[in-house]
Each structure stands twice: as C-alpha cells, then as structure tokens.
Amino acid sequence: MLHTPSGGAGHGAAATDGRLMSIGTVLNTLRDEFPEVTISKIRFLEAEGLVEPQRTASGYRKFGPRDVERLAQVLRMQRDHYLPLRVIREHLDAVERGEALPLPSPGPTAGEPADESRTPGLPGASAPTAARVGRDELLAAAGVGETELAEWESYGLVAPLPDGGYDAEAVTVATLVLELGRFGIEPRHLRAMKASADRDAGLVDQVVAPLRRHRNPQTRVHAQARTRELAELTVRLHSALVQTALGVRLP
C-alpha cells in the first residue's frame, strides 16, 4: 500500500495541491484539527502499519494527500471512538478495498462479549468472555485455587476491582504467571516486574495528567488516546530492551 500524491481528500492547503510533503509539513497540516499530534505519533502510526509514506533515495519520508487523509482518519477514530489501532487498520484497509463497512464499536462493555484478540493469550489459555470477570470465573479460567490467587494478590500481580470482580487483563496476567511457573519462576520473583510496571505507569500518568486536568473537554478526551499510545510504546520498549539484554529476537 504505497500511496501516491493523487487521490484522496487532504487536509489543509499543503494536502490539496498534490505535492509530496515532509513529516514536518504533515504535522503542521494535522495540528489544526489535532493539536496534540506529534512527529513521534506519526512515526508510531507508520510503524504500526497505519500509513506507508514514500521514501526518497536518502530515506526521508514523503507523504501524499492520501497519506495525510488516512492519518487524519486514524486520529479521528482514536479521538472520537476510542478504537484500538488494530481495529482501525483493518477497517481502513477494508474501506480502501471498496468494502462498505459500518464503523466498528470501540470494544466490549460490562456484560457484552469481548474480542478475544484484545487479550493476548497463550496456547491452551482461556480468554475472558467479558470485560469483567468474577472471582470464580477468574479461578476457573486460570485453573487455580484460592491459595494461588491469594498469593498473587499479596504480591500485587492481580487486584480486585472495587466491586470485587476483576478486569479482563487479570486472566492474561494469571495465565502468564502460570506459564512462567513452569520454568521455575515463582510469583515472588515477579515483584520486580510489578514494581517496574508501576513505575512505567507512573511516568505515563505524569505526562497525561495535565491533559486530564485541562479546562477544554476535548483535550481531556485526548488524554485517553494519549494514555493508550504511551502504554503501547512502553510495552514495545520493554520488550525490545529485554530481547536486547538476552541477545534474542522474538518472532
């Protein structure tokens, strides 16, 4: 999917005359509608396969009007509908193939079926079927008893919600804790990982907190999208650092 300068409705004067644009020009074009967008964000969306700009012989990105329009669509769907990037990519690719599709829903709410692909599992693992699960459901999905769950809770690996239930990610955490246990890594060994995750979350919160407190309601809405973006980047960085430290590359 290599976009050309022709076709598509661009945003702003630079996007309507058919010329290829640098990433800086694209940033200025998008900022009228998306004041929080950054060059890092555009590069991240490219890395995630949401846009594929042309490259010059020296490797510089060059964006056509269709690229700018697609970026605007991605940002709009994130901002207005809270959709994950995978869903956005699949939807836009289908639209470009000429398929008439309704806009996907942002995800499950309490009591609705969840998209199992949202919860990365392991072979043989049971994915949660709802956005929240009860304690008995978590025990059944993980295949453990009260003793194991209480131990995980004591180390902060999983934690109940105020209503006593658990979010869907608790099933993923439980599954991964069990898989690591097969290699002799016990829950107590994972306290350092939990502490590292808490520090990462604290760093993201420091960045996003000013947006959450902003007087402009639209800016406060942007805070959710920014939190997801930073979470994705943090997870990717952690994975890359672990692989580098071990001298391996995961498929």
Side-chain angles (χ1 to χ4, degrees), residues 12-240:
T16 58
D17 60 9
R19 293 181 298 178
L20 293 176
M21 291 166 278
S22 68
I23 193 170
T25 302
V26 172
L27 177 67
N28 292 331
T29 301
L30 292 172
R31 272 187 168 165
D32 288 343
E33 183 178 354
F34 309 100
E36 304 299 327
V37 72
T38 63
I39 285 181
S40 295
K41 172 72 171 183
I42 296 173
R43 288 173 176 164
F44 173 71
L45 293 176
E46 178 190 357
E48 292 297 310
L50 273 301
V51 65
E52 295 182 18
Q54 297 183 40
R55 294 274 186 162
T56 67
S58 52
Y60 291 104
R61 297 172 178 83
K62 289 296 180 180
F63 296 80
R66 289 177 61 193
D67 297 317
V68 179
E69 174 60 25
R70 186 173 168 102
L71 283 169
Q73 289 177 311
V74 171
L75 295 170
R76 207 171 287 124
M77 292 169 77
Q78 278 193 309
R79 180 193 66 195
D80 299 340
H81 301 282
Y82 308 103
L83 295 172
L85 292 180
R86 176 186 58 80
V87 174
I88 294 175
R89 181 174 60 248
E90 292 172 355
H91 177 75
L92 293 180
D93 288 347
V95 170
E96 287 195 352
R97 293 193 299 267
E99 301 176 17
L101 296 176
L103 194 65
S105 61
T109 57
E112 293 182 345
D115 178 359
E116 292 187 0
S117 63
R118 288 169 59 89
T119 305
L122 296 168
S126 298
T129 57
R132 294 190 180 190
V133 297
R135 191 175 185 86
D136 290 342
E137 292 174 298
L138 176 58
L139 292 171
V144 299
E146 285 283 356
T147 302
E148 290 89 347
L149 181 55
E151 182 183 16
W152 298 345
E153 290 178 333
S154 71
Y155 293 125
L157 300 175
V158 295
L161 299 168
D163 62 4
Y166 297 82
D167 61 29
E169 287 301 318
V171 179
T172 301
V173 171
T175 302
L176 294 171
V177 170
L178 287 172
E179 287 294 317
L180 289 169
R182 293 176 47 236
F183 297 92
I185 300 177
E186 301 177 11
R188 59 188 176 88
H189 298 142
L190 303 177
R191 287 179 294 184
M193 288 189 184
K194 178 61 169 62
S196 176
D198 289 342
R199 288 193 297 270
D200 292 343
L203 179 60
V204 170
D205 189 64
Q206 287 180 25
V207 175
V208 178
L211 298 179
R212 293 199 189 107
R213 297 192 299 264
H214 203 279
R215 289 180 295 177
N216 187 335
Q218 195 70 12
T219 301
R220 294 198 297 270
V221 171
H222 290 332
Q224 295 300 321
R226 180 58 53 86
T227 299
R228 286 191 295 271
E229 177 188 356
L230 289 172
E232 291 176 8
L233 289 170
T234 300
V235 170
R236 291 178 59 200
L237 175 60
H238 178 78
S239 175

